[in-house]
Amino acid sequence: MFKRNTESLKDILLRNLREQGLETPLKQKRLVESWQEVAGPVIARYTLNTYIYNQTLYVRLSNPALRSDLSMMRGELVKKLNAVVGEQVIIDIRFN
């Protein structure tokens, strides 16, 4: 008998994504989509737009008081969002 070099499908897909430069954008998309889950339904209702630029998540809110409250929880939100993705994708959050 002979030995076969086998790889899991997950490893093959991750390597392929990394080689094509799609791994980071995919993780960023997953992080932005997880904002509603991490922030909760009430905050998600006041969220107008979210995007990532230079490892910073920008969140546009329609309620100024909520913006102030969330600014104080910034560090905790960064940890929770990165935990959902499983890797450090963002280092800060800015509320507009």
Side-chain angles (χ1 to χ4, degrees):
M1 252 203 248
F2 57 92
K3 259 187 168 177
R4 292 184 181 178
N5 292 332
T6 59
E7 289 184 72
S8 70
L9 183 58
K10 178 183 174 183
D11 293 339
I12 293 170
L13 288 173
L14 287 175
R15 186 179 67 236
N16 193 11
L17 286 172
R18 194 173 302 122
E19 288 172 357
Q20 293 182 14
L22 299 173
E23 184 180 28
T24 301
L26 181 63
K27 288 180 181 177
Q28 289 177 346
K29 181 173 178 15
R30 285 179 47 210
L31 188 133
V32 167
E33 289 176 351
S34 68
W35 169 253
Q36 292 183 354
E37 175 189 331
V38 171
V42 175
I43 296 171
R45 194 173 326 140
Y46 292 104
T47 301
L48 301 174
N49 190 19
T50 55
Y51 63 94
I52 296 175
Y53 181 73
N54 286 340
Q55 292 187 316
T56 301
L57 176 66
Y58 290 87
V59 180
R60 186 165 174 236
L61 299 168
S62 62
N63 187 329
L66 185 60
R67 191 178 311 144
S68 169
D69 291 343
L70 289 176
S71 291
M72 292 182 224
M73 299 173 48
R74 195 178 347 198
E76 182 181 334
L77 289 169
V78 168
K79 287 179 188 176
K80 286 182 179 181
L81 287 164
N82 283 329
V84 169
V85 178
E87 193 172 312
Q88 184 176 351
V89 177
I90 61 170
I91 56 174
D92 194 15
I93 300 177
R94 299 277 170 100
F95 299 101
N96 302 339

